[in-house]
Amino acid sequence: MGTTELITVIIPVYNRENIIKRSVESVIRQSFKQWKLLVIDDCSTDETFAVASSISDPRIQVLKTRKNSGAAAARNAGIQHAVTPYISLLDSDDMYHPDFLKYSIQAIESTNDSYGFTYTGVGDIEAYKEGEPVSRSVWTLPDRFSKFKKPYLYQLQVGTAAGITIKKEAFDKIGLFDESLRAAEDTDWFIRASEFYQGLPIHKNLIFKDNNLSDRLTINYSKNAFAYKVIMAKQSQEIQNSVFLMTRWYYKSMWLNFYSGNKKEATLDYKVLKAHKLADLKIVLTYFSGVILSRALFIKLHKKLAKLK
């Protein structure tokens, strides 16, 4: 690796032979040139490794994990391999705006030691047009939560698919992604990170997601429901000591379990809320809708209700 490289982009990939070139080429097109790209193939069963390896650029290295272990393990392998001061994470089905790295480096190099990472606005890949990034409203942590020890436990709308650039030293301090999680490993990491670092939003659409793929982890409800139970166990002390957190986390766990078809686990979550007198009208209606309706009808109804202000 050359001494001029400032940032390593890590793409974990599994069975993406048809689209891996799209994400890789979005890195190659970057206006900022001091990058290294690590493509971590998580033991794909198709031609992903061969396709990625065929892309000719000395800044690109394609590695393969020893066994299929999930995106968290693949990202960790890349992080451990990286030696640059900054790391950016890109999903194999997403792509960067050509100026993603330029704006990310400018932002993260302007921060002080209290900031551990930056994140950007997210657009839909179907509507993507190259050109000047569009300014937009990007989520920021509400001030009322900033006083808490782990503020992202209270509210978090940042994930690894949100144009994340992280200081390598943050991984040294916080640790890596939890490899036992096959979803929401980014939620778990950012909650832990928020005890020590702030995140800096960049108010531009600089990453674009492919929302048409059927196997995105964001719609794998069983994996997400399991992950949230693990996170809740890790953060149990803080959650049990806060009415706000108990309501927030058990309610989300409840509807995620209904989404995954696990009415038994959803009922256990509801019973916790009811026992602590936290089951308000919204929670009660959500619970009985989940019990009565089919999984598909409940998901459709809940998504509509979630859009209401």
Side-chain angles (χ1 to χ4, degrees):
M1 179 177 289
T3 58
T4 61
E5 290 161 350
L6 287 179
I7 190 164
T8 300
V9 178
I10 297 172
I11 302 178
V13 61
Y14 177 73
N15 285 358
R16 294 292 197 215
E17 62 181 4
N18 294 327
I19 61 173
I20 184 59
K21 278 189 174 182
R22 183 175 66 189
S23 58
V24 170
E25 288 172 353
S26 79
V27 179
I28 294 174
R29 290 196 300 269
Q30 290 299 296
S31 59
F32 181 87
K33 302 300 183 183
Q34 295 170 265
W35 54 262
K36 171 82 174 182
L37 172 60
L38 296 177
V39 179
I40 312 297
D41 180 15
D42 194 24
C43 291
S44 296
T45 58
D46 64 2
E47 295 302 310
T48 295
F49 184 84
V51 172
S53 299
S54 70
I55 302 172
S56 180
D57 191 302
R59 297 168 294 179
I60 300 174
Q61 186 174 4
V62 183
L63 305 174
K64 180 174 284 192
T65 58
R66 293 182 179 180
K67 63 178 182 178
N68 177 260
S69 301
R75 289 192 187 101
N76 286 347
I79 293 164
Q80 291 171 315
H81 196 82
V83 297
T84 54
Y86 308 117
I87 291 173
S88 283
L89 302 171
L90 176 62
D91 286 353
S92 60
D93 40 16
D94 299 338
M95 62 185 294
Y96 285 152
H97 185 279
D99 289 328
F100 171 82
L101 291 179
K102 181 183 79 172
Y103 283 108
S104 296
I105 288 292
Q106 286 176 355
I108 203 163
E109 290 201 324
S110 72
T111 62
N112 56 44
D113 291 344
S114 69
Y115 288 89
F117 57 92
T118 64
Y119 58 96
T120 79
V122 181
D124 179 61
I125 211 164
E126 293 297 323
Y128 171 67
K129 292 181 180 179
E130 292 189 10
E132 192 65 25
V134 178
S135 297
R136 57 161 289 170
S137 177
V138 177
W139 176 82
T140 57
L141 179 72
D143 289 340
R144 66 183 183 277
F145 297 135
S146 61
K147 64 182 179 180
F148 295 107
K149 181 180 179 181
K150 299 175 184 176
Y152 282 175
L153 190 60
Y154 291 78
Q155 191 174 115
L156 175 63
Q157 294 179 26
V158 174
T160 51
I164 295 294
T165 297
I166 303 173
K167 294 177 179 178
K168 180 68 159 55
E169 66 185 46
F171 288 110
D172 297 334
K173 188 178 186 69
I174 307 303
L176 300 174
F177 293 103
D178 185 341
E179 296 183 10
S180 72
L181 303 179
R182 292 298 184 111
E185 70 278 0
D186 48 2
T187 297
D188 171 68
W189 191 86
F190 285 113
I191 288 171
R192 290 187 279 128
S194 70
E195 183 175 356
F196 304 98
Y197 294 108
Q198 300 179 68
L200 179 67
I202 300 172
H203 294 276
K204 297 178 184 293
N205 280 348
L206 297 176
I207 190 168
F208 300 89
K209 297 170 66 65
D210 190 337
N211 294 310
N212 294 323
L213 296 173
S214 61
D215 59 343
R216 290 195 69 101
L217 285 179
T218 49
I219 60 172
N220 193 317
Y221 302 123
S222 295
K223 291 178 181 178
N224 273 282
F226 171 80
Y228 270 78
K229 287 293 187 184
V230 173
I231 295 170
M232 289 166 68
K234 288 184 179 183
Q235 308 296 337
S236 61
Q237 182 175 353
E238 286 87 352
I239 291 173
Q240 296 298 324
N241 289 333
S242 167
V243 169
F244 177 88
L245 290 178
M246 283 199 70
T247 304
R248 178 181 184 272
W249 282 89
Y250 279 94
Y251 174 67
K252 183 159 189 177
S253 179
M254 182 184 77
W255 64 254
L256 275 174
N257 276 302
F258 278 131
Y259 273 41
S260 65
N262 194 336
K263 294 186 178 184
K264 181 179 178 180
E265 282 295 322
T267 297
L268 292 176
D269 291 323
Y270 176 72
K271 286 182 176 179
V272 171
L273 291 166
K274 188 175 180 182
H276 287 83
K277 298 182 172 29
L278 302 175
D280 59 15
L281 181 59
K282 173 186 173 183
I283 291 171
V284 171
L285 289 175
T286 302
Y287 172 69
F288 282 103
S289 297
V291 170
I292 296 169
L293 299 176
S294 68
R295 176 175 172 267
L297 283 176
F298 173 78
I299 292 173
K300 185 176 181 180
L301 174 63
H302 184 261
K303 287 186 174 181
K304 285 185 177 180
L305 293 175
K307 293 179 180 179
L308 299 178
K309 300 296 183 182

